[in-house]
Every structure is written in C-alpha cells, then in structure tokens.
C-alpha cells in the first residue's frame, strides 16, 4: 500500500466514525511488521467518494470503470438497504493462509450479525473462496460486475444460529 493511500485512509479514519480500520501486526521489530489490514464501512448510505486519487502511474480510466462497475452492482442489489461493506482487505504474502484475514473478516461479520445487517464485499475470484467459507454467496450482476471481480453478499446470522 503506497504512502498516499495510507495518508488518505488516515485522514478518512479521523473524519469518518463509521469507517473502522483494523490491523494485525507483529510485536517484534521483524520485517514486515504489518500482517493484515482491513477497512470496514458501517455507513453505506452516506454520500461520498470511496477512493483516494489514483496514482499517477495507474490507468485512471480503467480504475474508474472497474471500481465504478463494482459500485453499480452493489447499488443494483442493495439499493438503499443498509448494510456493512468490507471495503479493503490486505494480507502480507508471507502471512497468507494463516488466519489473519479470516479474523479481520469475522470481526465485521460479528458486528453485522449483532446489528442484523448484511455484509457486502467485492472479491477477486481467488478471494471469493475464503468469503464463501465465511458465509458469503456470489451475487454478481451479469454485464455489470466486471470480469476479474465477484460481488458477494452475506446475510446476517441470528444469534441462536451461530
């Protein structure tokens, strides 16, 4: 994650009490100290732009179209229905498949279950397998969800069922 994105996330965290940033890091001075990071958005009805400016080396038109299509799929499925949104999840490659991402996902899903709300995530095809194991289902919108992405929804689990 670039310094510009980290700075943008830091500014957003100070201004947006409904956005929750969690990390799993190592207590030692080993490298890398950051194991995994997640951004949860608990207010999906508030207007506003989700992403910092694209890096100068990125294809801005492609990024706008790709991420815009994912947002359009979410709007078509969810409409104005309140839900939690798993916005960003990163795991350092040295720590993948060791449970860190699952732990960060479960934190938000537990909160959504307590509040009786569904959870939305846009996943890569590889990441979709992890989300399916955690109760998400593919709700991709043909012709809207872009190739290389999977639109996923998890309905709340009542307390008696968990």
């Amino acid at each position: 994650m670039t310094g510009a994105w980290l700075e943008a996330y830091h500014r957003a965290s100070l201004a947006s009490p409904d956005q929750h940033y969690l990390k799993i890091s190592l207590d030692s001075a080993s490298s890398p100290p950051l194991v995994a990071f997640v951004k949860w958005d608990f207010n999906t009805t508030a207007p506003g732009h989700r992403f910092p400016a694209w890096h100068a080396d990125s294809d801005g038109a492609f990024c706008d179209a790709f991420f815009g299509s994912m947002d359009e799929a979410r709007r078509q499925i969810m409409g104005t229905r309140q839900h939690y949104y798993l916005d960003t999840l990163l795991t350092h490659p040295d720590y993948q498949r060791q449970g860190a991402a699952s732990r960060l996902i479960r934190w938000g899903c537990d909160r959504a279950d307590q509040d009786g709300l569904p959870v939305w995530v846009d996943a890569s095809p590889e990441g979709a397998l992890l989300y399916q194991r955690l109760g998400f289902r593919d709700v991709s919108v043909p012709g809207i969800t872009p190739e290389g992405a999977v639109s996923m929804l998890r309905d709340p689990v009542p307390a008696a069922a968990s």
Side-chain angles (χ1 to χ4, degrees), residues 3-87:
W5 278 73
L6 287 173
E7 177 60 27
Y9 278 142
H10 176 71
R11 280 193 313 274
S13 72
L14 297 174
S16 304
D18 293 318
Q19 292 181 0
H20 301 273
Y21 300 80
L22 294 93
K23 68 178 182 176
I24 296 175
S25 58
L26 300 175
D27 289 334
S28 67
S30 63
S31 181
L34 184 63
V35 173
F37 165 88
V38 70
K39 174 188 175 192
W40 281 96
D41 187 352
F42 286 1
N43 184 359
T44 54
T45 58
H49 191 67
R50 257 183 56 206
F51 302 104
W54 304 123
H55 188 276
D57 293 338
S58 64
D59 181 342
F62 171 81
C63 291
D64 286 342
F66 184 81
F67 292 104
S69 294
M70 289 191 296
D71 282 343
E72 178 60 26
R74 183 164 57 106
R75 281 191 297 273
Q76 280 198 18
I77 297 287
M78 300 308 294
T80 59
R81 182 176 167 206
Q82 178 63 27
H83 60 284
Y84 289 171
Y85 180 63
L86 196 165
D87 184 282

Side-chain angles (χ1 to χ4, degrees), residues 1 17 32 61 84 90 97 112 135 141 144 152 157:
M1 183 176 285
Y84 289 171
L90 304 167
R97 293 175 177 59
V141 180
I144 304 230
M152 304 194 80
V157 177

